[in-house]
Amino acid sequence: MRRDEEFDFTIETLGPCKIPSPIHLSNVVGDRIANYVTNEDFIRFRLESKVGEQYGPFKREQLIEKAGPREKIFFNPSHVHAGIITCGGLCPGLNDVIRSIVRCLWGRYGVKRISGIRFGFKGLLPDYHFDVMPLNPTVVDACHKTGGTILGTSRGGGTRVVEIVDGIERLNLNILFVIGGDGTQKGALEIAKEIERRNLCISVVGIPKTVDNDLSFIQKSFGFDTAVVKASEAVAAARMEAQSQINGIGLVKLMGRESGFIATHTAIASHEVDFVLIPEIPFDMQGENGFLKHLEDRLAQSHYTVIVVAEGAGQDLMQSKNETDDSGNKRLSDIGVFLKEQIDAYFKAKSIHINLKYIDPSYQIRSAPAAPVDSIYCERLGNNAVHAAMAGKTKLIVGLMYNKFVHLPIHVVVRSRNYVEPDGSLWRDALDATGQPTLMKNKIHEGRRETPAAH
């Protein structure tokens, strides 16, 4: 995003907070009692600066509100009926977030009516006939030990906004926690707008779930660290297979429809990847500076090689399906199978013996239980989502930014996706980790020829 781009970070509320919070904290710094967060606690959006630049005074819409428990809340806890919904694909940590929300509502605020909405937005639609799942600390106590979501999930249904809000009204919900990615949060925003049109006093709070880590302004999505851990295990297996064969090639396809964060982080973390291909960096298959020629050179040098490819990479090299899934996402052509076939054909034509092993661990990664680092993050996300909702805040997503938990307006977060910057430090470090050429294109936009990097 541009340095001069402006955003409105104002958080909407349902009304003034007049009820003393049942959580007894302090407003005194240094008394060794945890403190409340006030509505005057903010962080700046822009951290980068240059000598001579001047900042401030800031307007409210330029500042990002800190998350946390408020001294006064909007909802009377004894009157609250809260709903929790999980939408889209699976992701490590879903159950951890559900557990955190339930335990904070029940144990910290005394909210005793908590309903799990079954199978995504479809659980609020009458034609699917799904009953809600009553939730309490006993029900969720051990759910974090397994992957998936105890509520079930589904794609689609989020465009039936009027019917969904009808379902919310039938349940008499005061708060709806929506756990999902970009498409889900866009649906949550439309639901919140319909709630507002009906003059209903219902808070809608989003918790960002996208294993691809591609939501803007969110420093890290929950489940991402676990995904990198599990992906690195797949890469280790691919390397062992490749190293044990004559001209062995290990090919691993990872998640990353439009953003190659998992593939890039895995390449850096594993120290065992020779090529990482992501959607943000185009590449040619053929030619002197194409991927296959560089693969041949690397194989001649090392006698085995490991390739990691994100699922959205190289889509321009294949025939488009021109289809979408139930969430409205474009159906991708299979870059993993395509690469396997192209590599086999290339070396066969040159009469070079290879032994290629192809691994696609995507669903194993998505369904894995959260690693401890993600469990910590999920616990804190869930707690902060509850604090925001009980304070009557709405149309927001709780996230981490500059290592601070903050409230971000949904409309700001979903306006664009987060990508690996081709000229940024993360990709530069990935190039250092793999030793691959800076750009595997035979021609660059300016008409210059790329000089292959030395291996």
Side-chain angles (χ1 to χ4, degrees), residues 116-178:
I117 311 302
R118 304 300 309 280
F119 301 106
F121 287 129
K122 293 175 180 177
L124 290 166
L125 299 173
D127 41 314
Y128 288 94
H129 307 291
F130 294 128
D131 292 330
V132 298
M133 181 179 182
L135 298 174
N136 60 54
T138 301
V139 171
V140 302
D141 185 54
C143 70
H144 63 293
K145 297 179 181 179
T146 61
T149 162
I150 59 171
L151 301 180
T153 188
S154 68
R155 297 188 184 277
T159 57
R160 296 169 62 179
V161 175
V162 171
E163 295 171 88
I164 287 172
V165 178
D166 288 343
I168 291 171
E169 281 202 85
R170 279 192 293 269
L171 288 172
N172 266 334
L173 293 180
N174 307 105
I175 296 171
L176 181 64
F177 296 100
V178 183

Side-chain angles (χ1 to χ4, degrees), residues 249-436:
I249 299 174
L251 173 60
V252 180
K253 184 179 82 170
L254 298 175
M255 295 83 71
R257 295 182 55 84
E258 298 182 45
S259 305
F261 286 104
I262 290 179
T264 303
H265 279 258
T266 300
I268 296 172
S270 65
H271 309 293
E272 297 175 329
V273 175
D274 300 299
F275 297 93
V276 54
L277 308 175
I278 62 174
E280 295 89 337
I281 310 294
F283 61 95
D284 290 334
M285 291 298 296
Q286 307 291 338
E288 280 300 305
N289 198 34
F291 165 71
L292 291 171
K293 179 62 168 65
H294 286 293
L295 176 61
E296 180 185 359
D297 292 345
R298 183 66 65 91
L299 201 60
Q301 178 188 16
S302 303
H303 308 296
Y304 72 92
T305 187
V306 176
I307 307 159
V308 166
V309 59
E311 61 185 320
Q315 293 298 306
D316 60 310
L317 304 173
M318 301 172 286
Q319 185 173 356
S320 173
K321 292 186 176 182
N322 293 320
E323 300 173 357
T324 57
D325 61 21
D326 289 339
S327 295
N329 298 315
K330 181 181 177 182
R331 290 194 184 276
L332 301 176
S333 300
D334 195 326
I335 184 63
V337 172
F338 175 78
L339 280 180
K340 181 180 183 301
E341 293 172 348
Q342 291 287 310
I343 293 169
D344 281 334
Y346 179 84
F347 285 101
K348 184 177 181 180
K350 287 179 168 280
S351 299
I352 299 174
H353 171 82
I354 63 168
N355 194 304
L356 191 154
K357 296 293 189 298
Y358 174 47
I359 299 174
D360 180 356
S362 299
Y363 291 110
Q364 288 175 279
I365 292 172
R366 292 176 192 272
S367 61
V373 63
D374 265 322
S375 292
I376 295 169
Y377 188 34
C378 291
E379 175 76 14
R380 301 185 72 189
L381 277 174
N383 289 341
N384 282 295
V386 171
H387 298 320
M390 292 302 294
K393 298 179 186 295
T394 190
K395 296 183 186 176
L396 70 92
I397 288 177
V398 175
L400 193 66
M401 197 172 193
Y402 307 134
N403 292 318
K404 305 290 185 184
F405 284 91
V406 296
H407 299 153
L408 292 162
I410 297 177
H411 71 86
V412 171
V413 175
V414 302
R415 66 187 287 176
S416 63
R417 288 185 182 271
N418 196 21
Y419 300 101
V420 175
E421 296 180 12
D423 54 354
S425 62
L426 177 65
W427 183 245
R428 184 175 66 236
D429 291 341
L431 294 175
D432 289 341
T434 62
Q436 72 189 63

